[in-house]
Amino acid sequence: MLKSKIRAIFSGCMLFLVLFIVSCNKQGDNPVDPTGGSEYYRGEIVGEPKFWTEAPTDFVKNIADAFNINSDYIGKYSVRVYSMTYKTIDKNGDFVNASGTVFYPVSNEELPVLSYHHGTEFYRMDVASINPFANQAEAFLIASNGYATFVPDYLGYGVSNRIHPYHVADISANTAIDFIRAGKSFCKDHEVKLNNKLFLGGYSEGGYVTLAVQKEIETNLASEFSVTASAPLSGAYDLMETGKYYFNKEVVSRPDFLGFLITAYNDVYEWNKLDTIFNQPYAAKMNSLYDGSHSSDDIKSNLNDTLNVLIKQEFIDKFLSSETTAEKQKFAANSLLDWTPKAPIQMVHGDSDEIVPYINASKAYDTFKAKGADVVLMTVPGGTHATTIIPAVVYTLDFFKKYK
């Protein structure tokens, strides 16, 4: 699997790293005003950031070589890495702790910010703040090219102990945006100079989060942020179409993804309907399977890939019918096509993607283009969900270079 390959690569690359621990004090102005009389503010750094490493360019070169990435995409900067805990809000607007990691190039130049959003994870520890070497190869490569790269873990990962709100647009956007605030505060404290450019990118779930962040900024936060360019990669932007893709199948190769989405929505929206959606014995164990303590393989071994064995046929039929249901309304509400993007967008998607169907990208492109948005779709012929990752990162680096 790609994850085990990345871990092996980083084990070998560790010889190139000079590791040391330093302390750093949180200071600086609040990025936003406190809300609701709380003692906290959104994006506030909690405690001392943890220093991981300063990775030399040879380390980045090994990453590029391992994935057969052309040397033209190896940046000229060594990369410093810090992880930290910060304040964001949950579904109820209450302050909670989340974690994330800042990768920044060692440079005296003013740097653009790139908020980079990771793909689907099941195990809570498989994020950059826990192990940036094994869990965020792309960020080293991106930062070496001159971007202050902010990678949020999301709620449900790292320090956050809860069911991850998978593909819930507002929570996803808030968590990532608050880490942009935290990252900017960190850079100010550590005399990392930033310019006013903000790039957004991410793959798979990260592609969804990227578009959710852009939508939230351009709709509600334009006085605080301005997106320079955005690269949503292989994301499920139309959850109704994605749902139809899965519910029209007799056998699904990745029931863990479908189960994650429904279980997360059941938790966030307090449906209390797992036993009316899933058949037994699966309904009784969905919450525990997605509590962040299980790997994808663990979850799949506890599910069934025959759709109507896993999920009640009545639920499948209603989803595919014209009937309006509370569940379908949330799938539609968390889709991301009901606005007009302002910043330029470059999407990348493989046309043989077996996990996130290509129609997500083609429909988003057609919808945004019809609204007059500046959007491009780069299609990877024959690209699956796994094989499109590296071309997507390369296309993104080329795209962002135009605006950097």
Side-chain angles (χ1 to χ4, degrees):
M1 296 295 290
L2 183 64
K3 179 69 72 175
S4 59
K5 181 179 179 182
I6 290 173
R7 289 198 176 102
I9 291 163
F10 276 109
S11 295
C13 290
M14 289 291 286
L15 294 175
F16 290 91
L17 298 177
V18 181
L19 297 174
F20 59 95
I21 304 298
V22 298
S23 297
C24 51
N25 296 320
K26 188 187 78 62
Q27 302 174 19
D29 298 332
N30 296 0
V32 292
D33 290 334
T35 58
S38 171
E39 60 183 305
Y40 305 115
Y41 58 87
R42 292 177 58 181
E44 177 181 5
I45 298 172
V46 179
E48 295 182 353
K50 175 183 178 179
F51 177 76
W52 282 94
T53 188
E54 182 174 320
T57 53
D58 281 349
F59 177 76
V60 180
K61 182 179 184 302
N62 280 351
I63 296 172
D65 288 346
F67 292 105
N68 297 314
I69 296 175
N70 189 289
S71 60
D72 292 344
Y73 296 95
I74 302 169
K76 64 180 181 179
Y77 303 101
S78 59
V79 178
R80 287 184 185 149
V81 184
Y82 285 81
S83 60
M84 65 202 73
T85 299
Y86 68 102
K87 288 294 183 182
T88 188
I89 55 174
D90 64 9
K91 63 180 181 181
N92 299 314
D94 295 329
F95 279 94
V96 294
N97 286 348
S99 47
T101 306
V102 171
F103 301 73
Y104 69 92
V106 180
S107 169
N108 290 321
E109 301 170 13
E110 290 189 346
L111 304 170
V113 169
L114 198 162
S115 183
Y116 190 79
H117 313 116
H118 68 76
T120 301
E121 297 290 357
F122 297 90
Y123 181 49
R124 180 176 296 111
M125 300 294 106
D126 282 345
V127 287
S129 73
I130 302 299
N131 187 345
F133 312 112
N135 297 313
Q136 200 47 248
E138 308 99 305
F140 282 97
L141 190 65
I142 292 166
S144 78
N145 278 274
Y147 298 89
T149 307
F150 302 166
V151 183
D153 289 342
Y154 313 150
L155 291 185
Y157 301 107
V159 303
S160 177
N161 186 2
R162 60 180 63 207
I163 293 176
H164 168 55
Y166 191 51
H167 284 78
V168 177
D170 57 351
I171 302 176
S172 299
N174 287 334
T175 307
I177 290 167
D178 287 341
F179 193 58
I180 297 174
R181 293 171 172 138
K184 286 187 172 185
S185 179
F186 167 87
C187 287
K188 182 177 180 179
D189 294 347
H190 288 75
E191 299 182 346
V192 179
K193 293 182 287 188
L194 302 177
N195 60 30
N196 61 356
K197 294 188 176 181
L198 173 61
F199 295 88
L200 308 174
Y203 194 85
S204 189
E205 181 187 1
Y208 175 87
V209 174
T210 295
L211 211 55
V213 170
Q214 184 178 356
K215 178 182 177 182
E216 176 63 15
I217 286 175
E218 294 184 346
T219 303
N220 297 315
L221 298 171
S223 63
E224 182 179 358
F225 300 103
S226 177
V227 178
T228 304
S230 176
L233 313 171
S234 299
Y237 320 116
D238 189 328
L239 293 173
M240 285 300 297
E241 288 291 348
T242 303
K244 291 175 184 177
Y245 169 83
Y246 277 96
F247 289 125
N248 269 306
K249 289 179 173 290
E250 292 183 6
V251 176
V252 291
S253 60
R254 295 298 301 268
D256 49 334
F257 282 89
L258 183 58
F260 201 175
L261 184 63
I262 296 172
T263 303
Y265 278 30
N266 183 74
D267 178 67
V268 170
Y269 299 116
E270 300 177 353
W271 287 343
N272 194 28
K273 289 182 178 180
L274 291 180
D275 59 349
T276 66
I277 298 175
F278 294 97
N279 292 308
Q280 296 294 358
Y282 310 107
K285 55 185 176 180
M286 298 306 288
N287 282 328
S288 62
L289 284 177
Y290 292 100
D291 66 1
S293 66
H294 299 275
S295 69
S296 172
D297 288 342
D298 290 339
I299 295 168
K300 284 189 290 185
S301 70
N302 277 278
L303 299 179
N304 195 300
D305 60 4
T306 300
L307 189 64
N308 64 4
V309 174
L310 176 64
I311 295 177
K312 291 183 179 292
Q313 187 64 51
E314 180 182 6
F315 181 85
I316 297 170
D317 292 342
K318 283 186 177 180
F319 193 96
L320 295 175
S321 74
S322 59
E323 180 179 347
T324 299
T325 66
E327 295 81 16
K328 288 167 70 173
Q329 287 178 325
K330 292 303 183 185
F331 273 62
N334 284 289
S335 296
L336 298 170
L337 306 185
D338 60 341
W339 62 297
T340 302
K342 297 180 176 65
I345 293 174
Q346 179 177 273
M347 295 179 162
V348 183
H349 215 112
D351 62 9
S352 296
D353 194 319
E354 75 289 9
I355 293 176
V356 182
Y358 179 73
I359 192 173
N360 280 281
S362 61
K363 187 173 179 181
Y365 171 80
D366 289 342
T367 301
F368 292 152
K369 199 72 175 176
K371 295 179 178 182
D374 181 359
V375 58
V376 174
L377 172 58
M378 305 291 288
T379 299
V380 178
T384 66
H385 202 64
T387 63
T388 300
I389 296 173
I390 301 306
V393 172
V394 169
Y395 283 139
T396 297
L397 287 171
D398 283 337
F399 175 59
F400 285 168
K401 192 181 296 183
K402 301 175 185 177
Y403 301 93
K404 185 180 177 186

